[in-house]
């Protein structure tokens, strides 16, 4: 008997990270890391899990949008959906009345990310593979059929994508073995939140160096003098060989994976992130004034939809050796298409659930590979690290074929709430997810849901009682 989708549940889950300053930046000063979480049920015990990340209020609105989209899957046979995930993505995004309140942006689109990811999670579980393995084991034709191509064929056609994938197919097994052995390169943001004291920044930076990381990101944009001071604190630690882990040698700043990144004498790299706080002229002036801390790139220097603004900033900062990165708030593949076409970015930062799920992510990975721009996904939020390691593995093994200059964000928050949390090895690299039942690694513990669901979870009930 065919397996059909029979129902769903949504959960509004919020964690009180604003109490400790986790996640704070120049734009977002009051972050409660939150998940609009969905479970898709079938006529068997096969279940799919997905979420979209928010920072608190409004999470309930996303859950309402998830319900509207999940309704479109009720009664559908799962194998028919799995057979062509690109077509399934088109179907999920095609309800004309729901589409009107996007289209393909805002609440309705990040809700699509949760539902689409839950369906991909179900697909991987049905095949007994982690999500990344499901995708890299696809033939080039299957992977193209799983990708969302509408509105981007002026940048990459299905035929071009197929040729790119075929060119990499014969060597996929070599790259898979290599990344399993080494792990995937990571960078750390946890030391650089704006809400932390100088002492905490220094302590966390030392701990990150000791853990094997050599790429570090710092939030900027609230106060220039403070940014310079904090940047110099971080530089004084990451550039000093005395803090390197025992047995670790300094990396060569001129090696192929580090050249052009403003790496210091130990091979360590500093990045800065403004979270959209500036107008274009402000961004140029401000970042020039931070040139002495030698950042590799400035992330989100201005409004995330301003393609030409990013291009102007990139052109102005190029003489200073500082690049431009963005993408965490780029709400669809068309924004990425234009950023790439306009030569507006040096680093492409996809978000696993602001984009509408894996099928749309694949389209951006393919475009970035064609344009030769490295993909360094955004992962600052609950569940995003669990998600994005799968996406970076897909990019390296099946699409771009390179991870030498790529680094994947790692934030050490809230992993304990997931059944299959991501992990980092002693060299500051992500371990490859290997459990055949974990799917997209986003299933949460029921105890965490019971404690942190808004507004009736035990944590929030107790917090109101104490108020």
């Amino acid at each position: 008997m065919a397996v059909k989708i029979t129902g769903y549940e949504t959960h509004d889950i919020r964690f009180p990270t604003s109490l400790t300053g986790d996640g704070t930046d120049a734009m977002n000063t009051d972050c409660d890391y939150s998940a609009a979480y969905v479970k898709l049920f079938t006529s068997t015990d096969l279940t799919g899990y997905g979420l979209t990340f928010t920072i608190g209020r409004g999470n309930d609105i996303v859950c309402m949008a998830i319900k509207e989209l999940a309704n479109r899957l009720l009664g559908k046979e799962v194998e028919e959906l799995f057979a062509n995930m690109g077509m399934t993505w088109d179907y999920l995004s095609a309800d004309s009345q729901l589409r009107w309140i996007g289209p393909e942006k805002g609440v309705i689109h990040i809700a699509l990310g949760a539902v689409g990811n839950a369906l991909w999670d179900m697909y991987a579980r049905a095949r007994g593979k982690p999500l990344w393995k499901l995708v890299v084991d696809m033939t080039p034709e299957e992977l193209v059929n799983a990708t969302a191509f509408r509105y981007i064929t002026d940048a990459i056609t299905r035929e071009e994508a197929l040729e790119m994938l075929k060119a990499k197919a014969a060597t996929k097994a070599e790259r898979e073995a290599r990344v399993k052995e080494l792990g995937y390169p990571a960078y750390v943001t946890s030391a650089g939140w704006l809400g932390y004291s100088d002492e905490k920044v220094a302590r966390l930076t030392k701990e990150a160096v000791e853990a094997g990381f050599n790429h570090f990101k710092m939030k900027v944009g609230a106060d220039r003098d403070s940014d310079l001071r904090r940047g110099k604190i971080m530089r004084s630690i990451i550039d000093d060989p005395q803090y390197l882990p025992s047995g670790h040698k300094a990396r060569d700043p001129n090696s192929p994976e580090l050249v052009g990144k403003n790496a210091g004498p130990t091979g360590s790299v500093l990045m800065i992130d403004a979270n959209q706080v500036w107008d274009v002229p402000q961004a140029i002036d401000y970042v020039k004034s931070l040139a002495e801390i030698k950042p590799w790139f400035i992330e989100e220097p201005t409004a995330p939809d301003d393609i030409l603004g990013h291009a102007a900033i990139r052109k102005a900062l190029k003489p200073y050796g500082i690049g431009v990165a963005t993408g965490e708030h780029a709400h669809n593949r068309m924004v990425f298409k234009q950023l790439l076409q306009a030569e507006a970015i040096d680093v492409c930062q996809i978000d696993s659930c602001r984009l509408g799920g894996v099928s749309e992510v694949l389209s951006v990975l393919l475009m970035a590979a064609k344009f030769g721009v490295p993909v360094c996904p955004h992962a600052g939020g609950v569940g995003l690290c669990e998600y994005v390691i799968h996406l970076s593995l897909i990019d390296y093994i099946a699409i771009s074929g390179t991870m030498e200059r790529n680094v994947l964000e790692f934030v050490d928050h809230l992993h304990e709430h997931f059944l299959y949390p991501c992990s980092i090895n002693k060299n500051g690299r992500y371990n490859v997810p290997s459990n055949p039942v974990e799917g997209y690694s986003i299933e949460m513990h029921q105890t965490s849901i019971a404690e942190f669901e808004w507004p009736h979870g035990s944590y929030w009930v107790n917090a109101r009682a104490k108020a």
Side-chain angles (χ1 to χ4, degrees):
M1 184 179 294
V3 178
K4 295 183 178 182
I5 294 179
T6 57
Y8 58 85
E9 284 180 5
T10 65
H11 298 273
D12 176 352
I13 302 164
R14 307 186 193 186
F15 299 96
T17 51
S18 60
L19 298 178
T20 52
D22 298 344
T24 50
D25 56 58
M27 183 65 75
N28 306 295
T29 58
D30 184 28
C31 303
D32 283 328
Y33 277 1
S34 302
Y37 186 71
V38 61
K39 302 177 186 178
L40 294 178
F41 302 114
T42 68
S43 50
T44 68
D45 60 358
L46 179 64
T47 304
Y49 303 86
L51 65 75
T52 275
F53 169 65
T54 78
I55 60 168
R57 289 183 301 277
N59 205 42
D60 48 349
I61 300 171
V62 182
C63 286
M64 292 170 67
I66 287 171
K67 292 176 183 177
E68 294 299 320
L69 289 166
N71 275 327
R72 290 180 64 75
L73 294 175
L74 296 180
K76 299 294 184 184
E77 294 187 7
V78 299
E79 289 301 328
E80 290 184 2
L81 296 170
F82 299 160
N84 188 317
M85 288 292 278
M87 190 179 297
T88 295
W89 192 91
D90 288 340
Y91 168 75
L92 273 172
S93 62
D95 183 295
S96 62
Q97 294 185 4
L98 296 176
R99 188 179 184 278
W100 182 263
I101 59 173
E104 298 190 43
K105 62 175 73 74
V107 169
I108 200 68
H109 203 59
I110 62 173
L112 175 61
V115 176
N117 286 340
L119 195 60
W120 274 98
D121 177 72
M122 181 185 288
Y123 186 6
R125 288 165 182 266
R127 298 296 185 264
K129 297 179 179 181
L131 185 279
W132 70 266
K133 182 63 171 167
L134 170 78
V135 177
V136 303
D137 283 351
M138 289 179 171
T139 66
E141 291 80 6
E142 288 171 332
L143 206 154
V144 165
N145 282 339
T147 301
F149 276 98
R150 191 176 194 183
Y151 302 137
I152 64 166
T153 54
D154 54 324
I156 189 168
T157 64
R158 297 173 68 92
E159 293 73 24
E160 284 179 296
L162 185 60
E163 289 307 307
M164 288 169 54
L165 293 168
K166 285 181 175 178
K168 295 289 189 293
T171 50
K172 284 194 296 188
E174 297 169 20
R175 288 190 293 278
E176 182 175 330
R178 183 166 185 263
V179 74
K180 283 180 175 177
E181 177 187 356
L182 297 177
Y184 194 90
Y187 74 86
V188 64
T189 301
S190 299
W193 300 121
L194 272 185
Y196 290 174
S197 66
D198 289 356
E199 292 75 21
K200 189 170 183 178
V201 168
R203 174 176 60 80
L204 292 176
T205 303
K206 290 174 184 176
E207 290 175 2
V209 173
E210 179 62 30
F213 291 98
N214 79 306
H215 286 66
F216 308 83
K217 192 167 79 180
M218 182 184 82
K219 300 292 185 175
V220 299
D223 179 86
R224 197 184 311 240
D225 292 340
S226 174
D227 293 341
L228 269 176
R229 186 184 71 253
R230 290 162 53 247
K232 289 176 180 178
I233 289 170
M234 292 185 74
R235 269 292 180 198
S236 71
I237 295 165
I238 67 177
D239 289 347
D240 191 333
Q242 71 169 307
Y243 295 112
L244 291 174
S246 177
H248 282 231
K249 295 180 180 178
R251 296 171 172 89
D252 179 3
N254 297 308
S255 60
E257 66 270 19
L258 293 176
V259 69
K261 289 186 176 182
N262 282 330
T266 64
S268 290
V269 177
L270 181 66
M271 301 97 84
I272 55 175
D273 182 0
N275 292 91
Q276 317 159 31
V277 75
W278 300 310
D279 281 8
V280 171
Q282 274 184 300
I284 294 167
D285 175 66
Y286 199 111
V287 177
K288 284 180 181 178
S289 74
L290 299 181
E292 65 180 289
I293 61 173
K294 296 184 177 179
W296 169 25
F297 62 65
I298 174 62
E299 179 178 340
E300 285 201 314
T302 192
D305 303 340
D306 188 356
I307 285 88
L308 296 182
H310 279 86
I313 294 166
R314 181 175 185 247
K315 182 178 180 181
L317 294 180
K318 203 171 185 65
Y320 296 82
I322 301 170
V324 169
T326 200
E328 111 183 41
H329 280 82
H331 46 250
N332 57 40
R333 63 207 176 281
M334 291 78 79
V335 174
F336 281 105
K337 177 187 75 170
Q338 294 174 68
L339 287 165
L340 293 164
Q341 288 173 326
E343 299 182 352
I345 53 173
D346 298 275
V347 174
C348 174
Q349 293 177 305
I350 55 171
D351 183 278
S352 55
C353 47
R354 187 169 293 277
L355 291 173
V358 175
S359 292
E360 189 171 32
V361 168
L362 291 174
S363 69
V364 179
L365 295 179
L366 285 161
M367 286 190 289
K370 178 184 173 180
F371 282 81
V373 174
V375 177
C376 302
H378 165 244
V382 59
L384 300 190
C385 294
E386 279 68 29
Y387 267 150
V388 294
I389 179 56
H390 292 269
L391 303 178
S392 287
L393 291 169
I394 293 165
D395 178 51
Y396 170 53
I397 297 168
I399 298 177
S400 72
T402 180
M403 65 173 175
E404 279 62 41
R405 296 186 62 74
N406 302 53
V407 278
L408 173 53
E409 186 172 20
F410 177 73
V411 178
D412 192 15
H413 302 303
L414 305 171
H415 303 295
E416 67 274 14
H417 298 290
F418 295 90
L419 271 69
Y420 309 103
C422 66
S423 62
I424 298 289
N425 68 23
K426 62 182 174 59
N427 295 315
R429 300 167 79 105
Y430 274 85
N431 291 311
V432 173
S434 59
N435 194 319
V437 302
E438 70 181 283
Y440 206 174
S441 306
I442 212 68
E443 182 181 358
M444 297 187 78
H445 289 290
Q446 276 300 128
T447 52
S448 295
I449 296 172
E451 185 175 1
F452 291 102
E453 186 156 17
W454 176 268
H456 301 303
S458 59
Y459 173 86
W460 296 110
V461 170
N462 291 335
R464 284 195 297 277
K466 295 174 182 176

